[in-house]
């Protein structure tokens, strides 16, 4: 196991990187798509709906294969590395679910908050940044945590596009050593630890936002 552990850690580091950058993309896309979904401008709203339904209603594995194997072919001729495909595919897929979570959280903000913003003559940007988003993000953190953990677990699919993540290393070492119990037991433990890091980090963020909300008088 002393020889196997460094190789497993290399795969775990790739998984961490894919999860981190995929999460950043998912959060950014979710914000854009959620506001697009709520936009009074019809083309923006239709575009956001089309994105959400396309990525939420199709298989993540097919999306990864499409990005990795189809894009390099004519007429697209776009070649992406396996790492780029993993980050983009996971980010866009989880972002489509996150957009609906965030849209529901934004709608859950009491109407009185909007009326108060209008009374204070706030711009739409000021209203979103100072009042609406802080409350919506607090409400979106619990379901958002589930989505980030789901993104972590879905990284196991990127091994099918030749990326040497934790799942890829586990299968590779299992075939070479036949130490199935030890290797997949270690992989299971690593995924669990990474999921708990996400869980505790998001809980800490939730507590911090909750304290800020109480100090700011937004409750």
């Amino acid at each position: 196991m002393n020889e196997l552990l460094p190789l497993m850690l290399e795969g775990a580091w790739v998984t961490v990187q894919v999860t981190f950058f995929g999460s950043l993309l998912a959060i950014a896309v979710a914000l854009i798509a959620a506001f697009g979904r709520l936009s009074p401008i019809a083309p923006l709203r239709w575009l956001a709906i089309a994105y959400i339904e396309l990525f939420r209603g199709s298989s993540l594995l097919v999306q990864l294969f499409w990005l990795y194997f189809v894009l390099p072919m004519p007429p697209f001729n776009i070649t992406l590395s396996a790492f780029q495909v993993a980050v983009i595919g996971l980010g866009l897929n989880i972002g489509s679910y996150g957009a609906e979570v965030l849209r529901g959280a934004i709608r859950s903000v009491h109407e009185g908050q909007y009326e108060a913003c209008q009374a204070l003559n706030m711009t739409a940007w000021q209203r979103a940044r100072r009042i609406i988003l802080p409350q919506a993000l607090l409400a979106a953190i619990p379901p958002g945590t589930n989505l980030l953990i789901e993104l972590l677990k879905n990284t196991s699919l990127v091994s099918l596009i030749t990326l040497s993540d934790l799942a890829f290393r586990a299968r590779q070492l299992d075939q070479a050593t036949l130490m199935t119990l030890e290797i997949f037991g270690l992989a299971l433990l690593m995924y669990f630890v990474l999921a708990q890091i996400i869980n505790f980090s998001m809980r800490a963020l939730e507590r911090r936002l909750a304290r800020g909300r109480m100090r700011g008088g937004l409750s």
Side-chain angles (χ1 to χ4, degrees):
M1 290 303 295
N2 290 334
E3 297 177 357
L4 297 178
L5 185 59
L7 294 174
M8 294 289 286
L9 289 175
E10 287 180 12
W13 175 237
V14 174
T15 294
V16 168
Q17 293 180 78
V18 171
T19 301
F20 177 75
F21 291 110
S23 298
L24 292 182
L25 178 60
I27 293 169
V29 169
L31 281 168
I32 295 171
F35 280 108
R37 184 78 170 78
L38 297 170
S39 174
I41 303 173
L44 289 179
R45 190 167 62 252
W46 296 336
L47 184 62
I49 293 173
Y51 155 69
I52 291 170
E53 296 306 325
L54 174 63
F55 281 89
R56 192 175 59 168
S58 57
S59 167
L60 172 59
L61 183 58
V62 173
Q63 293 166 19
L64 292 173
F65 282 172
W66 206 91
L67 291 171
Y68 192 68
F69 295 112
V70 177
L71 279 187
M73 299 172 64
F76 306 106
N77 298 316
I78 300 174
T79 302
L80 300 173
S81 68
F83 184 84
Q84 291 172 327
V85 167
V87 170
I88 294 172
L90 289 167
L92 292 179
N93 182 270
I94 297 299
S96 64
Y97 292 92
E100 287 297 276
V101 168
L102 192 56
R103 180 175 70 92
I106 291 172
R107 295 223 167 188
S108 70
V109 177
H110 195 275
E111 292 182 1
Q113 302 288 336
Y114 292 90
E115 295 171 358
C117 292
Q118 291 177 349
L120 293 172
N121 199 28
M122 285 185 171
T123 65
W125 168 245
Q126 289 175 327
R127 181 171 67 241
R129 182 172 62 87
R130 294 184 178 183
I131 306 299
I132 306 304
L133 270 182
Q135 298 179 77
L137 289 176
L138 183 59
I141 283 178
T145 301
N146 291 336
L147 291 179
L148 293 181
I149 293 175
E150 190 68 22
L151 189 152
L152 167 66
K153 293 188 293 185
N154 286 341
T155 58
S156 60
L157 295 177
V158 304
S159 62
L160 299 175
I161 56 171
T162 71
L163 191 63
S164 299
D165 71 320
L166 179 55
F168 181 90
R169 288 295 187 187
R171 286 200 296 269
Q172 188 181 52
L173 292 172
D174 176 52
Q175 293 172 359
T177 66
L178 300 180
M179 298 173 62
T180 303
L181 176 61
E182 294 85 351
I183 290 171
F184 284 106
L186 182 58
L188 180 67
L189 178 62
M190 287 181 171
Y191 276 115
F192 177 78
V193 169
L194 292 175
Q196 293 312 303
I197 291 173
I198 293 174
N199 187 32
F200 289 132
S201 299
M202 296 302 288
R203 284 185 181 180
L205 177 61
E206 184 179 13
R207 288 193 296 269
R208 181 172 181 178
L209 288 178
R211 287 197 299 268
R213 178 177 176 178
M214 293 180 65
R215 286 198 299 269
L218 295 177
S219 56

